Amino acid sequence: MSGVKKLRTDLNRSTNVVYQAHHVSRSKRGQVVGTRGGFRGCTIWLTGLSGAGKTTISFALEEFLVSHAIPCYSLDGDNIRHGLNKNLGFSATDREENIRRIAEVAKLFADAGLVCVTSFISPFGKDRDEARKIHASAGLPFFEVFIHASLAVCEKRDVKGLYKKARAGEIKGFTGIDSDYERPEAPDLMLKTGELSVNECLHQVLELLKEQNIVPGEIMEEVHQLFVMENKLNLAAADAKTLPTISITKLDLQWVQVLSEGWASPLKGFMREREFLQVLHFGNLLDGGAINLSVPIVLPVSNETKREMDGCAAVALEYQGSRVAILRNPEFYQHRKEERCARQWGTTCPQHPYIKMVMEGGDWLVGGDLEVLERIKWNDGLDQYRLTPQELKQKFKDMKADAVFAFQLRNPVHNGHALLMQDTKRRLLERGYKNPVLLLHPLGGWTKDDDVPLDWRMKQHAAVLEEGVLEPASTIVAIFPSPMMYAGPTEVQWHCRARMIAGANFYIVGRDPAGMPHPETKQDLYEPTHGAKVLTMAPGLTSVEIIPFRVAAYNKIKKAMDFYEAERHAEFEFISGTKMRNMARSGENPPDGFMAPKAWKVLVEYYTSLQKDK
């Protein structure tokens, strides 16, 4: 640093200049900057020793806010000295001028409506106080955040090798070694980066911004569980016994589970008409900012139930004789089935299995706030796999995952799927992630009759892990409780967003996700590539990166699943799901390398059991 050539900075001060007020107000600017309304301009001033983690946190915050449609820009100390402040050295005078310039630039960014994050050592309290005054004089929020890590921690990290040089005397005036750092006396926030993870630090900054009304609460992606608190459970259970009841189906109970565990956050229960219309027409919840939710989550009831319950302040939901939940302030509205199906599925074909259930269901929908008395259990030997979003987030934290990539499936895993998951992990490692974790997340709610049942699929997935096709140490197998709707690109947004709620930041999307053949024409109901294309454009999913499914086929030369290349078409064989099922039914083995042998054996056992049942 002492080697930086000192350029003249004692420039003549400007005279005869008059500040010109903008014609565009901040409120107006806030309406057009980004997709989330409201002026959010402010500066977050990160200060701390070199190596404390300022740049890491700054870039993480910038990435998070931009991915949630809130404009943000990070001004980094090293980057600024490559341009704007390249003529400044590290004397006390130059350091003061460095911080003054940055404060002025940050003020302009904030005035433009951006969240400006600065990451500078800024060792002297008077300079930081001056930066605050510059913002205060312009009426702009300024938050001083002390990135607190001990000198020992910073010196141990020494990513740039600067401490080593300073100790060797190669750098003079290095903060923390032979130049003082004045700790903030009353920072707006202190982050102990020697104890907290990057995500934990990020969460604390976001909490600060939420408290100061800089960012809306919904961007926190908090999981809203709908279980009755334990200290109120006895009272709620007693209340439920006195209420009129609505009997619900197994399908309804699966949606109760989805809602209660927080997969559809921030929904507080079955959709009321306003929420239903927003989702049906816009694919988003719109109150409090646009939130992607592409499928209606509704409770159909009969005309008779509507007549009996209309006007009640609360009703109990009953499944097989047990009261499982209370629906407060119920709102009844017409179930316009044909319109719903046309918009949700793009067809009203009565042979479509989920549409058939809709058409046979109640003529009314009832929405309201849901209070679930206890966690939904199915007692099928698989409940230990039904992890809630909060439990999954804790698992990822315990595993020290710095990236989570999710794979949604409703079919058995073959080596083509495994190839894609392996390739995704490889690419994440190449991008600098140290510990990416796979969430293998089979759908566990209702599926159509000819799909492989959940219990057999879970056996098959276990065999895949047992054979080492996927790495058990970096894989979590859990069950996603949602029913399957076979609604193509509309539904795949729901699948992706639910995994985002659970902490996934990468999502693998396959060919024809959530699709099926048209019941009458037998052609694809949805264009097979549209699911992936829609996901990359879908609003509200910007905090998860979409990884499109590369086409895999059986390579006859390699005797393994491989990524398909058209110029080598003759080397490949496409083994369809129908062909796979026929081989399993007949007990025939697939080509070597198509599926792990133990996993194939599970499939053969399943289809053999069907023959025996017949």
Side-chain angles (χ1 to χ4, degrees):
M1 290 182 180
S2 59
V4 176
K5 187 176 180 181
K6 175 80 160 48
L7 300 180
R8 191 168 66 88
T9 61
D10 54 339
L11 304 176
N12 293 329
R13 292 186 176 275
S14 301
T15 58
N16 301 317
V17 292
V18 178
Y19 184 81
Q20 301 295 316
H22 288 270
H23 292 181
V24 179
S25 68
R26 286 176 180 167
S27 61
K28 184 65 176 177
R29 197 174 282 129
Q31 292 175 17
V32 297
V33 177
T35 59
R36 291 183 181 272
F39 181 80
R40 309 186 191 283
C42 69
T43 290
I44 303 164
W45 193 279
L46 308 185
T47 174
L49 293 173
S50 177
K54 299 182 299 299
T55 297
T56 300
I57 293 170
S58 174
F59 285 171
L61 178 60
E62 179 186 38
E63 181 182 22
F64 183 91
L65 291 178
V66 170
S67 72
H68 287 78
I70 293 179
C72 175
Y73 194 83
S74 178
L75 298 173
D76 180 71
D78 285 357
N79 292 353
I80 291 296
R81 283 187 177 271
H82 278 83
L84 177 67
N85 291 351
K86 67 189 295 184
N87 65 327
L88 297 179
F90 291 89
S91 67
T93 301
D94 280 10
R95 280 185 160 178
E96 179 181 347
E97 174 62 13
N98 182 53
I99 297 305
R100 188 196 68 79
R101 290 185 192 179
I102 295 310
E104 292 287 356
V105 171
K107 180 190 75 173
L108 296 177
F109 273 85
D111 189 46
L114 280 71
V115 175
C116 183
V117 190
T118 68
S119 49
F120 293 80
I121 294 174
S122 43
F124 305 125
K126 65 180 181 60
D127 295 339
R128 297 193 299 266
D129 291 343
E130 186 61 31
R132 186 185 291 274
K133 289 176 184 176
I134 288 170
H135 284 74
S137 65
L140 291 164
F142 179 94
F143 307 105
E144 183 181 48
V145 179
F146 177 30
I147 309 302
H148 178 37
S150 68
L151 179 60
V153 168
C154 295
E155 199 162 354
K156 184 178 179 181
R157 291 172 179 166
D158 202 13
V159 178
K160 304 171 187 174
L162 299 178
Y163 283 99
K164 184 178 180 180
K165 290 182 179 180
R167 291 291 187 190
E170 298 174 28
I171 301 176
K172 301 297 184 183
F174 190 81
T175 304
I177 302 300
D178 56 355
S179 180
D180 291 338
Y181 176 80
E182 299 173 2
R183 288 180 47 152
E185 295 180 1
D188 296 284
L189 180 65
M190 181 169 68
L191 299 174
K192 295 184 177 181
T193 56
E195 304 171 12
L196 301 173
S197 69
V198 174
N199 283 337
E200 288 169 330
C201 291
L202 178 61
H203 187 81
Q204 289 193 27
V205 177
L206 291 171
E207 283 289 346
L208 171 67
L209 296 181
K210 186 176 77 168
E211 290 169 5
Q212 299 297 325
N213 296 316
I214 300 296
V215 300
E218 65 267 15
I219 77 159
M220 301 291 286
E221 292 172 4
E222 294 172 345
V223 177
H224 297 276
Q225 292 190 337
L226 305 181
F227 299 114
V228 175
M229 294 176 63
E230 191 172 353
N231 62 343
K232 297 181 179 178
L233 186 55
N234 290 338
L235 184 63
D239 190 16
K241 290 180 181 178
T242 68
L243 295 174
T245 61
I246 295 176
S247 292
I248 62 173
T249 66
K250 183 177 182 180
L251 181 69
D252 298 330
L253 186 63
Q254 290 173 357
W255 285 118
V256 169
Q257 181 175 9
V258 166
L259 290 165
S260 65
E261 293 179 358
W263 295 100
S265 298
L267 279 184
K268 296 179 180 178
F270 285 106
M271 290 177 178
R272 300 176 184 275
E273 186 177 41
R274 179 179 177 84
E275 296 164 323
F276 173 73
L277 292 174
Q278 289 175 359
V279 167
L280 199 63
H281 291 271
F282 307 111
N284 284 265
L285 296 173
L286 300 177
D287 297 328
I291 297 173
N292 187 290
L293 193 53
S294 58
V295 298
I297 300 179
V298 292
L299 180 60
V301 295
S302 66
N303 288 309
E304 181 182 2
T305 298
K306 191 263 181 185
R307 282 195 302 269
E308 293 175 354
M309 305 296 171
D310 206 359
C312 293
V315 297
L317 303 185
E318 182 182 72
Y319 177 71
Q320 294 185 345
S322 297
R323 300 184 186 214
V324 297
I326 296 172
L327 196 66
R328 302 279 184 192
N329 303 312
E331 174 190 342
F332 293 87
Y333 54 100
Q334 273 194 320
H335 190 185
R336 298 179 60 83
K337 301 175 187 177
E338 186 174 11
E339 180 187 0
R340 174 191 169 187
C341 293
R343 291 188 179 277
Q344 185 173 347
W345 283 276
T347 180
T348 57
C349 177
Q351 281 77 47
H352 184 291
Y354 205 105
I355 291 176
K356 184 173 185 290
M357 293 191 293
V358 169
M359 292 300 189
E360 293 173 353
D363 293 331
W364 294 86
L365 298 174
V366 57
D369 296 342
L370 198 61
E371 298 175 4
V372 181
L373 299 180
E374 58 184 23
R375 189 163 171 175
I376 307 300
K377 299 283 188 181
W378 298 98
N379 301 314
D380 56 358
L382 299 175
D383 283 327
Q384 72 269 25
Y385 293 105
R386 294 185 174 95
L387 302 179
T388 67
Q390 285 189 346
E391 289 171 337
L392 283 170
K393 284 186 171 184
Q394 187 60 49
K395 281 264 191 185
F396 302 145
K397 182 179 178 181
D398 294 343
M399 294 174 72
K400 294 182 169 54
D402 57 357
V404 177
F405 58 108
F407 189 68
Q408 137 90 29
L409 66 167
R410 70 172 197 268
N411 292 309
V413 174
H414 57 62
N415 287 355
H417 300 136
L419 176 66
L420 181 65
M421 289 181 262
Q422 294 160 356
D423 185 62
T424 299
K425 182 173 183 178
R426 177 189 60 78
R427 288 156 62 188
L428 292 175
L429 289 169
E430 287 176 353
R431 286 170 58 171
Y433 292 98
K434 304 298 183 187
N435 189 29
V437 168
L438 166 65
L439 173 60
L440 189 66
H441 213 201
L443 184 137
W446 175 89
T447 56
K448 55 189 175 68
D449 292 342
D450 59 348
D451 281 351
V452 178
L454 177 63
D455 56 344
W456 284 97
R457 282 186 279 132
M458 292 300 288
K459 290 177 187 176
Q460 197 266 353
H461 300 342
V464 168
L465 287 168
E466 184 183 340
E467 294 217 22
V469 177
L470 299 173
E471 296 179 20
S474 60
T475 301
I476 294 176
V477 182
I479 293 172
F480 178 45
S482 176
M484 188 74 198
M485 291 165 277
Y486 306 94
T490 296
E491 184 178 4
V492 77
Q493 295 175 69
W494 156 242
H495 291 166
C496 180
R497 202 245 172 191
R499 278 36 178 256
M500 187 176 80
I501 284 286
N505 42 14
F506 295 90
Y507 185 79
I508 302 172
V509 58
R511 179 189 179 278
D512 196 21
M516 61 171 284
H518 192 288
E520 294 174 347
T521 68
K522 307 305 178 186
Q523 302 299 309
D524 288 328
L525 186 54
Y526 307 103
E527 205 285 329
T529 67
H530 281 184
K533 291 175 180 176
V534 165
L535 272 189
T536 61
M537 299 184 285
L541 299 180
T542 46
S543 67
V544 64
E545 183 175 329
I546 307 305
I547 302 176
F549 196 109
R550 294 174 63 188
V551 176
Y554 184 73
N555 188 311
K556 293 177 287 187
I557 296 175
K558 294 182 179 180
K559 295 189 181 301
M561 296 299 287
D562 194 9
F563 290 122
Y564 174 72
E565 295 179 17
E567 58 271 21
R568 296 190 292 121
H569 177 77
E571 297 177 16
F572 291 92
E573 177 185 357
F574 286 90
I575 300 175
S576 67
T578 300
K579 184 175 181 179
M580 181 183 74
R581 287 189 290 270
N582 288 338
M583 284 192 293
R585 285 191 185 100
S586 64
E588 178 185 350
N589 286 326
D592 291 342
F594 173 74
M595 185 181 290
K598 289 182 180 178
W600 180 256
K601 184 179 178 182
V602 172
L603 272 190
V604 171
E605 288 175 1
Y606 164 64
Y607 284 108
T608 301
S609 72
L610 291 183
Q611 301 293 338
K612 290 178 180 178
D613 290 343
K614 288 180 181 179

